[in-house]
């Protein structure tokens, strides 16, 4: 059976921005909460500045940064791979990229049948 695909990945542009933020702030992590406004964007925090809750789900790591998602959001998106990208704009109010002229953006794709089987194995 094939190895399961990663639940979260990042584009080269996102990896570059993560690297920049890590040089400025030290270790970082991501949280995807869902909801409106800033909650619909992946948020980047310095490790220790955001507390992971018991209901959060660890999806993996991108560029050395651990990535978590709220339990209810995971339940809705568990059939998709999250792809973290960067576009011009303002980051979330509390996200570390705010003020950089770039913001993290979430893209996704649905896992195919073989990927879903590998994830469920």
């Amino acid at each position: 059976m094939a190895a399961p695909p990663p639940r979260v990945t990042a584009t080269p542009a996102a990896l570059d921005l993560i690297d920049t933020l890590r040089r400025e702030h030290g270790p970082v992590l991501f949280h995807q909460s869902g909801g409106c406004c800033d909650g619909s964007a992946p948020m980047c925090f310095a490790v220790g500045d955001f507390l992971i809750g018991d209901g959060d789900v660890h999806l993996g790591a991108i560029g050395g940064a651990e990535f978590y998602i709220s339990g209810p959001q995971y339940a809705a998106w568990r059939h998709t791979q999250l792809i973290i990208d960067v576009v011009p704009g303002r980051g979330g109010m509390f996200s570390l990229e705010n003020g950089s002229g770039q913001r993290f953006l979430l893209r996704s794709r649905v896992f195919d049948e073989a990927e879903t089987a590998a994830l469920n194995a």
Side-chain angles (χ1 to χ4, degrees):
M1 179 171 276
R7 289 193 173 272
V8 62
T9 65
T11 65
L15 294 173
D16 286 346
L17 183 54
I18 293 166
D19 189 49
T20 298
L21 294 173
R22 186 182 294 108
R23 284 193 311 271
E24 293 175 13
H25 303 280
V28 299
L29 65 83
F30 282 86
H31 189 267
Q32 178 71 47
S33 66
C36 71
C37 308
D38 285 348
S40 61
M43 301 288 281
C44 184
F45 301 97
V47 169
D49 285 353
F50 183 85
L51 297 177
I52 301 303
D54 290 341
D56 291 325
V57 177
H58 181 252
L59 291 187
I62 53 173
E66 300 302 321
F67 195 102
Y68 298 86
I69 188 170
S70 71
Q73 196 69 15
Y74 174 75
W77 289 358
R78 68 183 176 277
H79 63 286
T80 63
Q81 182 180 59
L82 304 185
I83 304 157
I84 307 309
D85 200 358
V86 171
V87 296
R90 293 185 66 183
M93 184 180 305
F94 300 107
S95 193
L96 291 177
E97 84 278 12
N98 190 13
S100 71
Q102 302 177 83
R103 68 180 181 93
F104 289 108
L105 176 76
L106 177 75
R107 300 182 193 279
S108 65
R109 70 170 189 85
V110 175
F111 289 120
D112 66 27
E113 288 183 30
E115 291 171 321
T116 300
L119 287 165
N120 291 333

